[in-house]
């Protein structure tokens, strides 16, 4: 908890500010008063029962500053009850991970005294966000002061105000001392060591920690391939036949590392209490709209949208748009090959040092164009997926990931497939792969690390001065800290980070057999990626809310799909080897059948491995099974107690009725005495 800064609530109690709510400066007073009252109201009255107070301007405040900025906190008891509401898992005294309950709080390992320090600041902020998101309209017809902003019972107040633009942003505050310690152990001190994943999880949450865990694991998994690739590059560069061995190793590598990651991911998630945590019921997205109706699951009124209309939008608009974009990407690729032919013609006519450099220019230009097209398509895909009007955020993300992956895969790898299997020019394939890989890595580093920091300086020089003060460890008042963090860029999630790793995995697994240094370049990129991502999380972006996660989600499926494509690609490259062709001098059909048969054998072996290697380690399976058994036993005991209680209660009732039942319309005197005595 953040103890260095505190504010006073309207009732005079102090609390640590955890979350900031910013409304537009022109928000009407009645709407502000209504929202604050709903945040402060007791839970039984439909409120969030949180502490909230307006941020007072500091000494450097100006008239341009937004007055409608509020800090939110909660009492410690309220946070503990909230931890139970969100289903937080903590370590029990016996070492197992169990769902936290307030009544059983002293049986948890880290709970000491009044429980101060039991919850991390990230967990406290997640609880507050959960309570704010679950702040629902009661009998209000509209937001006070805004007759056109309709409300209906059960509608999330915060989501409604966000979608209508009254609520600008809700974000968690940084904790200066903890951030300082994390920064020092994470990226300020350059050293060859593992990342502090537990500290990252403690500060940013499980979703962020799993991303950095996967980034670290992927980098370490690349080291064997990089070590094998260096001698191949140095000694057998022109001997294409020997790359078949490297391709074979590639086939095994891309399958095994993904299966082992599942086990590591399960171990991390169990230790963090998210592996067996039940997924919360998903509410509609803020941008979801439709005709007001009743949800058959919750019984609450909410917008309903026809699934048939959504499917029509997907298949009649989204799919044709994606196909059109793929065609444009193909057209740009053909222009690139024309440029390659032009550069090669000039070099053949007069081979010099400069014409040799000219051979790389088309690939560099094409790599830059690919990144620009990916960026433009990303915005178009987001708009299109939002227009499809998906009800749930998870469904929205799945459709967005599918659109982006299809286009990015085609846009980045189509030229390499064309060179490898149509032109069959291995020299050009090596050159193109190296140029695309290096250029994309340079552009990604610029876009992800340097550009956000530069834009931050350009956008707000005063905020940058405050940032420098913070970096110099000078204490800032709460008002100045909030202003600084409010002006920072918003972190949009790990989507782009996973997408970059997905494309790098593709470059390595698909064609690295013809360019063995690809793994070396990706290792170097990932090492710098760790530091650049850590820097932007701590210094450039607002602190994101913690997101509980048990795995990397849909990206696991994306990487596994890429590994299947890698099996087919590497088998085809092996079949194109002159040495392999020499075994089938008379019949090309036999060669094709051999390659297809070998590819099917490897795919079958790959799928067998997925069953042979358990996703969850055995010792964790035993712990989960024991916990489930204990839960069932406790449920049985509780059920027996309830039955005994009911039986006892029914026995007393029958005795009472027997005692007071009159025989001839009168109550016997001896029964009356017995009753009076009782």
């Amino acid at each position: 908890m953040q103890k260095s800064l505190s504010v006073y609530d309207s009732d005079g109690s102090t609390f640590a500010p955890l979350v900031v709510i910013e409304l537009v400066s022109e928000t009407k007073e009645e709407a502000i008063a209504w929202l604050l009252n709903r945040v402060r109201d007791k839970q039984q009255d439909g409120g969030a029962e949180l502490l909230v107070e307006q941020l007072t301007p500091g000494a450097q405040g100006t008239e341009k500053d937004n007055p409608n900025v509020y800090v939110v906190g909660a009492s410690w008891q309220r946070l503990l009850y909230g931890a139970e509401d969100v289903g937080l898992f903590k370590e029990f005294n016996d070492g197992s991970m169990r769902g936290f309950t307030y009544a059983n709080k002293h049986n948890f390992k880290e709970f000491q005294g009044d429980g101060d320090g039991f919850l991390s600041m990230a967990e406290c902020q997640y609880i507050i966000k959960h309570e704010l998101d679950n702040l629902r309209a009661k009998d209000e017809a509209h937001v006070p002061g805004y007759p056109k902003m309709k409300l209906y019972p059960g509608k999330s107040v915060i989501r409604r105000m966000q979608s209508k633009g009254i609520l600008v942003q809700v974000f968690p505050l940084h904790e200066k001392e903890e951030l300082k310690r994390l920064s020092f152990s994470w990226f300020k001190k350059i050293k060859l060591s593992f990342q502090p994943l537990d500290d990252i999880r403690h500060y940013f949450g499980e979703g962020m920690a799993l991303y950095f865990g996967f980034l670290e694991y992927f980098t370490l998994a690349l080291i064997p391939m990089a070590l094998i690739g260096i001698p191949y590059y140095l000694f057998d560069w022109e001997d294409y036949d020997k790359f078949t061995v490297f391709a074979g190793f590639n086939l095994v590598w891309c399958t095994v590392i993904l299966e082992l990651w599942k086990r590591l991911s399960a171990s991390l998630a169990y230790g963090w209490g998210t592996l067996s945590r039940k997924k919360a019921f998903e509410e509609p997205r803020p941008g979801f709209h439709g005709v007001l109706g009743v949800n058959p699951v919750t019984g609450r009124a909410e917008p309903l949208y026809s699934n048939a209309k959504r499917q029509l939008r997907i298949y009649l608009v989204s799919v044709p748009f994606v196909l059109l974009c793929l065609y444009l990407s193909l057209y740009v690729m053909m222009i690139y090959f024309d440029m390659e032919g032009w550069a090669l013609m000039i070099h053949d006519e007069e081979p010099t040092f400069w014409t040799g450099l000219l051979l790389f220019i088309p690939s560099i230009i094409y790599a830059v164009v690919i990144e620009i097209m990916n960026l433009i398509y990303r915005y178009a895909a987001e708009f299109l997926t939002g227009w499809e009007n998906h009800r749930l955020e998870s469904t929205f993300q799945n459709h967005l990931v599918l659109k982006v992956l299809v286009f990015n895969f085609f846009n980045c790898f189509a030229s390499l497939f064309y060179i490898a299997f149509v032109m069959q020019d291995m020299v050009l394939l090596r050159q193109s792969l190296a140029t695309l890989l290096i250029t994309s890595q340079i552009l990604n580093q610029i876009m992800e690390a340097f550009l956000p920091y530069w834009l931050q300086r350009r956008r707000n020089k005063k905020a940058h001065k405050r940032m420098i003060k913070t970096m110099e460890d000078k204490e800032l008042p709460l008002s100045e800290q909030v202003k600084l963090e409010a002006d920072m860029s918003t972190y949009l999630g790990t989507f782009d980070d996973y997408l970059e790793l997905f494309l790098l995995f593709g470059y390595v697994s698909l064609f690295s057999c013809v360019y063995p240094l690809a793994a070396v370049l990706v290792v170097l990129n990932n090492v710098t990626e760790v530091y650049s991502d850590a820097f932007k999380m701590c210094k450039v972006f607002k602190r994101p809310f913690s997101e509980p996660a048990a795995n990397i989600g849909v990206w696991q499926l994306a990487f596994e799909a890429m590994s299947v494509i890698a099996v087919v690609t590497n088998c085809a490259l092996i079949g194109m080897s002159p040495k392999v062709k020499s075994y089938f001098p008379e019949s090309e059909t036999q060669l094709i059948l051999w390659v297809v048969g070998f590819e099917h054998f490897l795919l079958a072996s790959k799928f067998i491995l997925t069953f042979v290697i358990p996703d969850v380690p055995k010792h964790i399976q035993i712990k989960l099974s024991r916990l489930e058994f204990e839960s069932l036993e406790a449920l049985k005991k509780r059920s027996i107690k309830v039955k005994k209680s009911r039986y006892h209660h029914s026995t007393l009732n029958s005795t009472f009725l027997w005692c007071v039942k009159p025989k001839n319309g009168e109550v016997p005197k001896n029964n009356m005495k017995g009753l009076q005595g009782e």
Side-chain angles (χ1 to χ4, degrees), residues 40 87 101 142 161 205 232 305 313 355 380 402 459 462 507 591 599 608:
R40 293 188 179 115
T101 56
H142 57 82
M161 297 181 76
Y232 263 91
Y305 189 77
R313 289 188 174 192
T355 57
L402 181 61
R459 184 168 53 251
K462 292 182 180 180
Y507 283 123
L591 172 62
E599 171 254 326
I608 290 173

PDB file of all heavy atoms in Angstrom, residues 40 87 101 142 161 205 232 305 313 355 380 402 459 462 507 591 599 608:
ATOM      1  N   ARG A  40     -19.597   6.202  -2.923  1.00  0.00           N
ATOM      2  CA  ARG A  40     -19.468   6.165  -1.457  1.00  0.00           C
ATOM      3  C   ARG A  40     -20.546   5.333  -0.782  1.00  0.00           C
ATOM      4  O   ARG A  40     -20.346   4.860   0.336  1.00  0.00           O
ATOM      5  CB  ARG A  40     -19.530   7.594  -0.904  1.00  0.00           C
ATOM      6  CG  ARG A  40     -18.355   8.484  -1.288  1.00  0.00           C
ATOM      7  CD  ARG A  40     -18.433   9.793  -0.539  1.00  0.00           C
ATOM      8  NE  ARG A  40     -17.323  10.679  -0.860  1.00  0.00           N
ATOM      9  CZ  ARG A  40     -17.445  11.844  -1.485  1.00  0.00           C
ATOM     10  NH1 ARG A  40     -18.660  12.274  -1.849  1.00  0.00           N
ATOM     11  NH2 ARG A  40     -16.389  12.580  -1.735  1.00  0.00           N
ATOM     12  N   GLY A  87     -12.581 -13.387  -5.958  1.00  0.00           N
ATOM     13  CA  GLY A  87     -12.060 -14.754  -6.014  1.00  0.00           C
ATOM     14  C   GLY A  87     -10.557 -14.837  -5.991  1.00  0.00           C
ATOM     15  O   GLY A  87      -9.964 -15.692  -6.667  1.00  0.00           O
ATOM     16  N   THR A 101     -11.011 -16.078   1.850  1.00  0.00           N
ATOM     17  CA  THR A 101     -12.277 -15.741   2.496  1.00  0.00           C
ATOM     18  C   THR A 101     -11.970 -14.905   3.726  1.00  0.00           C
ATOM     19  O   THR A 101     -11.007 -15.192   4.460  1.00  0.00           O
ATOM     20  CB  THR A 101     -13.068 -16.994   2.908  1.00  0.00           C
ATOM     21  OG1 THR A 101     -12.249 -17.811   3.765  1.00  0.00           O
ATOM     22  CG2 THR A 101     -13.485 -17.804   1.691  1.00  0.00           C
ATOM     23  N   HIS A 142     -31.907   8.136 -16.331  1.00  0.00           N
ATOM     24  CA  HIS A 142     -30.791   8.716 -17.087  1.00  0.00           C
ATOM     25  C   HIS A 142     -29.761   9.248 -16.101  1.00  0.00           C
ATOM     26  O   HIS A 142     -30.017   9.357 -14.893  1.00  0.00           O
ATOM     27  CB  HIS A 142     -31.279   9.837 -18.021  1.00  0.00           C
ATOM     28  CG  HIS A 142     -31.993  10.940 -17.289  1.00  0.00           C
ATOM     29  ND1 HIS A 142     -31.333  11.967 -16.649  1.00  0.00           N
ATOM     30  CD2 HIS A 142     -33.317  11.159 -17.075  1.00  0.00           C
ATOM     31  CE1 HIS A 142     -32.209  12.784 -16.085  1.00  0.00           C
ATOM     32  NE2 HIS A 142     -33.431  12.318 -16.324  1.00  0.00           N
ATOM     33  N   MET A 161     -20.780   5.939 -18.740  1.00  0.00           N
ATOM     34  CA  MET A 161     -20.195   7.278 -18.780  1.00  0.00           C
ATOM     35  C   MET A 161     -18.930   7.307 -19.631  1.00  0.00           C
ATOM     36  O   MET A 161     -18.624   8.319 -20.266  1.00  0.00           O
ATOM     37  CB  MET A 161     -19.908   7.753 -17.360  1.00  0.00           C
ATOM     38  CG  MET A 161     -21.160   7.888 -16.494  1.00  0.00           C
ATOM     39  SD  MET A 161     -20.842   8.472 -14.816  1.00  0.00           S
ATOM     40  CE  MET A 161     -20.560  10.220 -15.123  1.00  0.00           C
ATOM     41  N   GLY A 205       0.765  -7.215 -12.168  1.00  0.00           N
ATOM     42  CA  GLY A 205      -0.247  -8.252 -12.309  1.00  0.00           C
ATOM     43  C   GLY A 205       0.234  -9.450 -13.106  1.00  0.00           C
ATOM     44  O   GLY A 205       1.306  -9.440 -13.726  1.00  0.00           O
ATOM     45  N   TYR A 232      27.051 -23.194 -38.557  1.00  0.00           N
ATOM     46  CA  TYR A 232      26.478 -23.410 -39.883  1.00  0.00           C
ATOM     47  C   TYR A 232      26.721 -22.207 -40.772  1.00  0.00           C
ATOM     48  O   TYR A 232      27.037 -22.336 -41.960  1.00  0.00           O
ATOM     49  CB  TYR A 232      24.976 -23.680 -39.764  1.00  0.00           C
ATOM     50  CG  TYR A 232      24.627 -25.143 -39.771  1.00  0.00           C
ATOM     51  CD1 TYR A 232      24.534 -25.847 -38.581  1.00  0.00           C
ATOM     52  CD2 TYR A 232      24.403 -25.823 -40.958  1.00  0.00           C
ATOM     53  CE1 TYR A 232      24.220 -27.195 -38.564  1.00  0.00           C
ATOM     54  CE2 TYR A 232      24.084 -27.171 -40.957  1.00  0.00           C
ATOM     55  CZ  TYR A 232      23.996 -27.851 -39.768  1.00  0.00           C
ATOM     56  OH  TYR A 232      23.697 -29.187 -39.769  1.00  0.00           O
ATOM     57  N   TYR A 305     -28.339  -7.708 -29.354  1.00  0.00           N
ATOM     58  CA  TYR A 305     -28.058  -7.519 -30.778  1.00  0.00           C
ATOM     59  C   TYR A 305     -28.140  -8.874 -31.469  1.00  0.00           C
ATOM     60  O   TYR A 305     -27.576  -9.861 -30.984  1.00  0.00           O
ATOM     61  CB  TYR A 305     -26.677  -6.888 -30.974  1.00  0.00           C
ATOM     62  CG  TYR A 305     -26.389  -6.465 -32.393  1.00  0.00           C
ATOM     63  CD1 TYR A 305     -26.940  -5.295 -32.915  1.00  0.00           C
ATOM     64  CD2 TYR A 305     -25.574  -7.228 -33.224  1.00  0.00           C
ATOM     65  CE1 TYR A 305     -26.679  -4.901 -34.210  1.00  0.00           C
ATOM     66  CE2 TYR A 305     -25.311  -6.844 -34.522  1.00  0.00           C
ATOM     67  CZ  TYR A 305     -25.874  -5.679 -35.003  1.00  0.00           C
ATOM     68  OH  TYR A 305     -25.624  -5.292 -36.299  1.00  0.00           O
ATOM     69  N   ARG A 313     -22.536  -9.004 -41.072  1.00  0.00           N
ATOM     70  CA  ARG A 313     -21.481  -7.991 -41.127  1.00  0.00           C
ATOM     71  C   ARG A 313     -20.107  -8.639 -41.299  1.00  0.00           C
ATOM     72  O   ARG A 313     -19.256  -8.118 -42.026  1.00  0.00           O
ATOM     73  CB  ARG A 313     -21.503  -7.153 -39.840  1.00  0.00           C
ATOM     74  CG  ARG A 313     -22.697  -6.217 -39.727  1.00  0.00           C
ATOM     75  CD  ARG A 313     -22.553  -5.288 -38.532  1.00  0.00           C
ATOM     76  NE  ARG A 313     -23.620  -4.292 -38.505  1.00  0.00           N
ATOM     77  CZ  ARG A 313     -23.630  -3.225 -37.713  1.00  0.00           C
ATOM     78  NH1 ARG A 313     -22.627  -3.014 -36.873  1.00  0.00           N
ATOM     79  NH2 ARG A 313     -24.628  -2.355 -37.744  1.00  0.00           N
ATOM     80  N   THR A 355      26.740  -0.729 -56.535  1.00  0.00           N
ATOM     81  CA  THR A 355      25.641  -1.537 -57.088  1.00  0.00           C
ATOM     82  C   THR A 355      25.373  -2.768 -56.223  1.00  0.00           C
ATOM     83  O   THR A 355      24.252  -3.277 -56.175  1.00  0.00           O
ATOM     84  CB  THR A 355      25.963  -1.984 -58.523  1.00  0.00           C
ATOM     85  OG1 THR A 355      27.212  -2.710 -58.537  1.00  0.00           O
ATOM     86  CG2 THR A 355      26.070  -0.788 -59.457  1.00  0.00           C
ATOM     87  N   ALA A 380      -7.545  -0.287 -39.160  1.00  0.00           N
ATOM     88  CA  ALA A 380      -8.742  -0.678 -39.914  1.00  0.00           C
ATOM     89  C   ALA A 380      -9.398  -1.907 -39.293  1.00  0.00           C
ATOM     90  O   ALA A 380     -10.628  -1.986 -39.194  1.00  0.00           O
ATOM     91  CB  ALA A 380      -8.367  -0.949 -41.376  1.00  0.00           C
ATOM     92  N   LEU A 402      -7.559 -12.688 -34.898  1.00  0.00           N
ATOM     93  CA  LEU A 402      -7.640 -13.478 -36.129  1.00  0.00           C
ATOM     94  C   LEU A 402      -7.407 -12.608 -37.360  1.00  0.00           C
ATOM     95  O   LEU A 402      -6.633 -12.984 -38.261  1.00  0.00           O
ATOM     96  CB  LEU A 402      -9.003 -14.161 -36.209  1.00  0.00           C
ATOM     97  CG  LEU A 402      -9.236 -15.053 -37.430  1.00  0.00           C
ATOM     98  CD1 LEU A 402      -8.230 -16.196 -37.452  1.00  0.00           C
ATOM     99  CD2 LEU A 402     -10.658 -15.596 -37.444  1.00  0.00           C
ATOM    100  N   ARG A 459       4.626  16.369 -26.316  1.00  0.00           N
ATOM    101  CA  ARG A 459       3.245  16.664 -25.945  1.00  0.00           C
ATOM    102  C   ARG A 459       3.159  17.547 -24.713  1.00  0.00           C
ATOM    103  O   ARG A 459       2.293  18.392 -24.592  1.00  0.00           O
ATOM    104  CB  ARG A 459       2.496  15.349 -25.708  1.00  0.00           C
ATOM    105  CG  ARG A 459       1.029  15.543 -25.403  1.00  0.00           C
ATOM    106  CD  ARG A 459       0.246  14.246 -25.465  1.00  0.00           C
ATOM    107  NE  ARG A 459       0.821  13.195 -24.654  1.00  0.00           N
ATOM    108  CZ  ARG A 459       1.427  12.131 -25.158  1.00  0.00           C
ATOM    109  NH1 ARG A 459       1.505  11.973 -26.466  1.00  0.00           N
ATOM    110  NH2 ARG A 459       1.945  11.210 -24.373  1.00  0.00           N
ATOM    111  N   LYS A 462       6.137  20.344 -19.594  1.00  0.00           N
ATOM    112  CA  LYS A 462       6.042  20.453 -18.142  1.00  0.00           C
ATOM    113  C   LYS A 462       5.976  19.071 -17.500  1.00  0.00           C
ATOM    114  O   LYS A 462       6.593  18.825 -16.469  1.00  0.00           O
ATOM    115  CB  LYS A 462       4.801  21.254 -17.745  1.00  0.00           C
ATOM    116  CG  LYS A 462       4.885  22.723 -18.142  1.00  0.00           C
ATOM    117  CD  LYS A 462       3.646  23.473 -17.679  1.00  0.00           C
ATOM    118  CE  LYS A 462       3.725  24.947 -18.064  1.00  0.00           C
ATOM    119  NZ  LYS A 462       2.524  25.694 -17.615  1.00  0.00           N
ATOM    120  N   TYR A 507       9.758 -16.096 -38.385  1.00  0.00           N
ATOM    121  CA  TYR A 507      11.014 -15.960 -39.131  1.00  0.00           C
ATOM    122  C   TYR A 507      11.990 -17.076 -38.768  1.00  0.00           C
ATOM    123  O   TYR A 507      12.693 -17.615 -39.629  1.00  0.00           O
ATOM    124  CB  TYR A 507      11.661 -14.602 -38.831  1.00  0.00           C
ATOM    125  CG  TYR A 507      11.016 -13.437 -39.558  1.00  0.00           C
ATOM    126  CD1 TYR A 507      10.506 -12.354 -38.847  1.00  0.00           C
ATOM    127  CD2 TYR A 507      10.929 -13.418 -40.943  1.00  0.00           C
ATOM    128  CE1 TYR A 507       9.917 -11.281 -39.498  1.00  0.00           C
ATOM    129  CE2 TYR A 507      10.343 -12.354 -41.605  1.00  0.00           C
ATOM    130  CZ  TYR A 507       9.838 -11.288 -40.882  1.00  0.00           C
ATOM    131  OH  TYR A 507       9.247 -10.233 -41.539  1.00  0.00           O
ATOM    132  N   LEU A 591       9.421 -38.393 -55.081  1.00  0.00           N
ATOM    133  CA  LEU A 591       9.981 -37.387 -54.168  1.00  0.00           C
ATOM    134  C   LEU A 591       8.863 -36.655 -53.429  1.00  0.00           C
ATOM    135  O   LEU A 591       8.929 -36.480 -52.203  1.00  0.00           O
ATOM    136  CB  LEU A 591      10.844 -36.397 -54.953  1.00  0.00           C
ATOM    137  CG  LEU A 591      11.357 -35.175 -54.159  1.00  0.00           C
ATOM    138  CD1 LEU A 591      12.254 -35.619 -53.008  1.00  0.00           C
ATOM    139  CD2 LEU A 591      12.095 -34.211 -55.087  1.00  0.00           C
ATOM    140  N   GLU A 599       6.266 -35.507 -43.917  1.00  0.00           N
ATOM    141  CA  GLU A 599       5.582 -34.373 -43.258  1.00  0.00           C
ATOM    142  C   GLU A 599       4.411 -34.869 -42.409  1.00  0.00           C
ATOM    143  O   GLU A 599       4.211 -34.412 -41.270  1.00  0.00           O
ATOM    144  CB  GLU A 599       5.105 -33.385 -44.329  1.00  0.00           C
ATOM    145  CG  GLU A 599       4.211 -32.278 -43.826  1.00  0.00           C
ATOM    146  CD  GLU A 599       2.772 -32.503 -44.222  1.00  0.00           C
ATOM    147  OE1 GLU A 599       2.527 -33.044 -45.322  1.00  0.00           O
ATOM    148  OE2 GLU A 599       1.897 -32.137 -43.438  1.00  0.00           O
ATOM    149  N   ILE A 608       1.253 -36.312 -31.119  1.00  0.00           N
ATOM    150  CA  ILE A 608       1.452 -37.307 -30.061  1.00  0.00           C
ATOM    151  C   ILE A 608       2.197 -36.677 -28.886  1.00  0.00           C
ATOM    152  O   ILE A 608       1.883 -36.926 -27.715  1.00  0.00           O
ATOM    153  CB  ILE A 608       2.210 -38.532 -30.610  1.00  0.00           C
ATOM    154  CG1 ILE A 608       1.309 -39.323 -31.561  1.00  0.00           C
ATOM    155  CG2 ILE A 608       2.701 -39.429 -29.470  1.00  0.00           C
ATOM    156  CD1 ILE A 608       2.018 -40.446 -32.285  1.00  0.00           C
TER     157      ILE A 608
END
